[in-house]
Amino acid sequence: MLDVPFWLWAAFAVVVIVSLAVDLLAHRKAHVIGFKEAAAWSGVWVGLAIVFGGVVFLVLGATPGVEYTTAWLLEKSLSVDNLFVFALIFAYFKVPRAYQHRVLFFGVMGALVFRGVFLAAGVAVVSRFTAVLFAFAAILFYSTYKILKEEEDSFDPGRSIAVRLLRKIMPVRDEYAGMKFFVREAGKRVATPLLAVVAAIEAADLVFAVDSVPAVLAVSDDAFIVYTSNAFAILGLRALYFLLAGLLDRFHYLSKGLALILSFIGVKLILQASHKLFSSNIPEIPSPISLAVIVVVLAVSVVLSIRRPRATAPEGTAPAAQDENRTAPGAADEHPPAQRARDTGGPPQDS
């Protein structure tokens, strides 16, 4: 474990809290996030992550610095899959585009908490039971198989455990009430569909943590490195979603690239565990090589997607822009399993 000075943990906490506060104030009024605004905020979050990585290099050394950068880029690439699910959830609940940033803001808040719990548990388990790395590798290989065979499970946001639990705790009205999560009807407190959307976002992040946590633990088993890199990647998710709105389906080779990255990380986990358990002669994959592989695979995936575009989808498949007066699926509605998010083509692009 790294000897991380207290002031560095404190600096990280201050940066995150202040950044979230500024973000919340900047978006306190409901409005549609355009491309320029999303690009500016994406630059802010990426810049913060890079600057913090520079501080890690200077304070903790080159190896922790490379591990932080690798873990951040890995989490950033894996989080692209979250964007497809965000698009599906927003389409399912017919969330007005002006309210989507507020939903993602609170979704990110919850993700920071839950991811911290999972990573802390993962670090504790790995430090005591090295053999668990083989199980983590198996999870990544299975995820790779599902992506390559296109056997991703269908995802129905309305039937997620979090949404069903919310509807059991309190009634959920059908119509939105601005950016409010709760309203009073007939003297009773009632949840709006916006709260159900946040619950669905949180449930989706818990599912993605199954891949994300084992993958980042292959890069480093230090709590500071894995959490700070995850946090900065998660913080930039909202801006990345709006930046890539309407373009997600164009990067059709990206899923294959992510599958290759997951399989590579799985091999890295096996070698890492074998080196510790069986023989020190078994080589491990250094972090600089891992970083290089991730960068090259992502770059090739994006370039191939641009040079070899997918055949044009049938007209009318993209989800229409939502109207603020539309209603979300009610608590008593029955809905068939929703189509996989990456088949929806993402949210509508700004005109």
Side-chain angles (χ1 to χ4, degrees):
M1 297 292 287
L2 294 173
D3 184 16
V4 181
F6 174 77
W7 68 263
L8 191 54
W9 273 109
F12 164 72
V14 169
V15 169
V16 171
I17 293 173
V18 171
S19 299
L20 287 173
V22 171
D23 189 4
L24 184 61
L25 288 174
H27 299 92
R28 61 186 180 277
K29 293 183 179 180
H31 66 282
V32 176
I33 308 296
F35 180 83
K36 290 183 179 179
E37 183 179 355
W41 277 103
S42 291
V44 169
W45 294 119
V46 171
L48 283 175
I50 293 175
V51 169
F52 190 81
V55 174
V56 173
F57 266 98
L58 293 175
V59 176
L60 301 180
T63 299
V66 171
E67 290 179 348
Y68 164 86
T69 305
T70 305
W72 172 73
L73 188 58
L74 174 62
E75 179 61 27
K76 197 76 171 176
S77 61
L78 293 178
S79 66
V80 172
D81 217 22
N82 295 44
L83 305 185
F84 290 98
V85 175
F86 292 166
L88 170 60
I89 292 174
F90 288 149
Y92 180 94
F93 286 99
K94 303 173 185 174
V95 183
R97 294 175 64 197
Y99 304 158
Q100 291 177 3
H101 182 276
R102 181 172 176 82
V103 170
L104 291 180
F105 179 87
F106 285 96
V108 163
M109 294 281 286
L112 288 172
V113 174
F114 289 123
R115 198 64 63 89
V117 172
F118 287 143
L119 288 171
V123 169
V125 170
V126 169
S127 64
R128 290 171 174 78
F129 308 102
T130 305
V132 77
L133 294 178
F134 291 114
F136 287 168
I139 292 174
L140 297 183
F141 287 139
Y142 179 64
S143 296
T144 299
Y145 170 80
K146 288 199 302 179
I147 293 175
L148 294 178
K149 294 295 183 180
E150 298 183 351
E151 293 184 0
E152 299 268 0
D153 297 331
S154 62
F155 178 71
D156 183 358
R159 297 184 183 276
S160 66
I161 295 177
V163 174
R164 285 185 292 168
L165 182 60
L166 173 64
R167 286 171 171 163
K168 287 184 178 180
I169 295 176
M170 65 174 60
V172 180
R173 75 198 302 258
D174 289 341
E175 296 180 354
Y176 289 94
M179 293 198 298
K180 296 179 180 178
F181 291 122
F182 301 97
V183 294
R184 286 199 172 274
E185 292 184 349
K188 295 182 179 180
R189 199 181 195 191
V190 178
T192 70
L194 213 59
L195 186 61
V197 178
V198 173
I201 292 287
E202 297 295 354
D205 183 72
L206 294 179
V207 173
F208 280 107
V210 174
D211 288 341
S212 177
V213 171
V216 76
L217 289 176
V219 177
S220 174
D221 59 359
D222 182 82
F224 179 80
I225 296 297
V226 297
Y227 184 67
T228 54
S229 59
N230 260 251
F232 278 111
I234 291 172
L235 286 171
L237 262 183
R238 291 156 300 159
L240 185 62
Y241 172 80
F242 293 110
L243 181 66
L244 298 180
L247 301 177
L248 292 173
D249 201 47
R250 298 185 186 181
F251 299 112
H252 55 102
Y253 280 108
L254 193 56
S255 62
K256 309 301 181 186
L258 294 179
L260 184 58
I261 290 174
L262 287 176
S263 61
F264 170 77
I265 296 299
V267 172
K268 178 178 171 66
L269 280 172
I270 291 176
L271 292 176
Q272 183 176 326
S274 300
H275 178 86
K276 294 179 179 179
L277 292 176
F278 303 133
S279 172
S280 58
N281 294 325
I282 297 176
E284 293 183 283
I285 300 177
S287 292
I289 293 180
S290 300
L291 178 59
V293 168
I294 294 172
V295 170
V296 170
V297 170
L298 288 177
V300 171
S301 300
V302 171
V303 171
L304 283 178
S305 297
I306 296 174
R307 292 176 64 90
R308 300 178 183 177
R310 178 180 289 170
T312 305
E315 192 173 338
T317 57
Q322 293 92 2
D323 189 298
E324 294 189 9
N325 295 322
R326 297 277 293 277
T327 59
D333 293 343
E334 290 295 332
H335 301 278
Q339 189 179 12
R340 180 66 180 151
R342 58 170 50 94
D343 294 333
T344 66
Q349 191 173 13
D350 292 338
S351 56

